Amino acid sequence: MPNLRNLALEALEENNIDRKCELTRAICGDIATLDVQEVLTPSSNLPGRPDKPVLIDPKEVAHRTAGSLAGRASLLHSIAHIEFNAINLALDIVWRFPDMPKEFYSDWLQVAREEVYHFGLVRDHLRTLDCDYGDIPAHSGLWDICEKTADNLKARLALVPVTLEARGLDVNPAMQDKLRQAGDMRAVEILGIILRDEIGHVKFGTKWFNYVCDSEGVDPLRTYQELLENYGMKKPKGPFNLDGRKNAGFSDEALNWLKNLE
């Protein structure tokens, strides 16, 4: 019986981009036939990634505008980097956390495959601008949060999909507007696809965060607020895509809290 979590770990450890994407797409089959229990110990530092892009402090990342070709390439490179990290984040949550329902692993494996698709779309378009993924320095902020929550599934769900990825729902429409003004309609189309799918990804985050909170008998919103404080995360900053967040499973109580923040 194939072990889904070991397959996810193998893909996570892979340094070669194309091979990582290939391994991720290849993890398929009826979830009922896949073992999710025993997992191998990682054989290398995680995550597997190529030598480039060079990773720098987030404060050193250049400001990106879509008004010039170079600025548009830089903006799209940053999106490609987010999508590449999102592949690793989804693979990591599959292999790292045991004793969850099989549907949990199936959901996050779907996310991993869709992130591969997004990464490919952005990378292919980036190449039409005489730039490839790895050509521009980037930062490791997303994976840093992943490491901080490596021993706490509730915190991982709260801080990654429910916070960082939900932020993508807020900023995506504004990026589409900038790229539309620059005349890059293919990039606008790609971001539309990403927004559509990311609503589903964040919905998996809220679904499983609520599941863990319910299993522990704790209030989801209060627990979320406590986790933000305990992990030194700032409260979400508006403007918020409230419709997108509602479609992604945010409760009326959580939406009202966000409105008050905004």
Side-chain angles (χ1 to χ4, degrees):
M1 181 182 294
N3 187 302
L4 180 149
R5 293 173 61 216
N6 279 337
L7 294 174
L9 177 57
E10 180 185 4
L12 179 63
E13 290 179 316
E14 178 58 50
N15 294 315
N16 180 274
I17 294 174
D18 294 331
R19 178 63 176 158
K20 181 187 292 287
C21 292
E22 178 184 336
L23 288 171
T24 302
R25 286 191 295 263
I27 307 172
C28 59
D30 183 353
I31 188 68
T33 70
L34 296 171
D35 181 25
V36 297
Q37 294 308 318
E38 294 299 325
V39 179
L40 297 172
T41 301
S43 60
S44 61
N45 292 328
L46 298 179
R49 55 189 171 202
D51 293 335
K52 292 184 177 181
V54 174
L55 299 181
I56 59 177
D57 189 284
K59 297 177 182 179
E60 298 177 8
V61 176
H63 178 67
R64 309 172 185 96
T65 64
S68 66
L69 181 63
R72 193 153 33 102
S74 180
L75 175 61
L76 288 167
H77 188 278
S78 70
I79 296 170
H81 185 63
I82 291 170
E83 298 303 321
F84 180 76
N85 273 277
I87 299 169
N88 285 329
L89 290 168
L91 292 170
D92 187 82
I93 204 171
V94 169
W95 90 264
R96 186 178 295 277
F97 296 102
D99 304 322
M100 291 293 287
K102 285 192 173 183
E103 185 183 350
F104 172 88
Y105 303 105
S106 179
D107 284 350
W108 292 109
L109 182 56
Q110 176 184 330
V111 171
R113 288 195 294 258
E114 290 179 353
E115 300 294 12
V116 166
Y117 172 56
H118 297 165
F119 175 74
L121 289 175
V122 180
R123 189 183 191 190
D124 287 347
H125 186 55
L126 188 61
R127 285 167 167 165
T128 70
L129 306 180
D130 295 324
C131 182
D132 197 0
Y133 178 63
D135 289 349
I136 300 173
H139 68 81
S140 61
L142 274 173
W143 187 258
D144 291 343
I145 298 298
C146 185
E147 290 184 334
K148 289 179 181 179
T149 58
D151 60 350
N152 189 328
L153 175 58
K154 187 169 56 181
R156 169 69 62 85
L157 292 165
L159 302 186
V160 178
V162 181
T163 299
L164 298 180
E165 294 187 63
R167 181 60 182 157
L169 307 185
D170 302 330
V171 302
N172 185 304
M175 287 194 293
Q176 287 190 61
D177 288 342
K178 291 179 181 179
L179 291 164
R180 188 177 292 110
Q181 292 171 13
D184 193 336
M185 299 312 296
R186 176 55 180 161
V188 173
E189 179 184 6
I190 291 170
L191 283 178
I193 293 170
I194 291 174
L195 178 59
R196 177 199 68 196
D197 293 344
E198 291 295 341
I199 288 174
H201 300 175
V202 177
K203 191 170 186 177
F204 286 150
T206 58
K207 165 186 171 181
W208 290 109
F209 177 69
N210 290 337
Y211 172 90
V212 175
C213 288
D214 288 346
S215 68
E216 296 180 2
V218 297
D219 178 72
L221 180 56
R222 182 177 301 174
T223 301
Y224 174 72
Q225 294 166 338
E226 291 172 352
L227 287 167
L228 286 179
E229 183 175 354
N230 292 342
Y231 281 82
M233 297 280 286
K234 296 180 180 178
K235 293 179 181 179
K237 182 179 179 181
F240 300 110
N241 180 352
L242 295 174
D243 287 339
R245 285 174 177 260
K246 184 172 184 177
N247 291 334
F250 277 67
S251 67
D252 290 340
E253 185 183 12
L255 291 172
N256 288 332
W257 178 67
L258 291 172
K259 288 178 185 177
N260 290 331
L261 293 178
E262 190 173 30

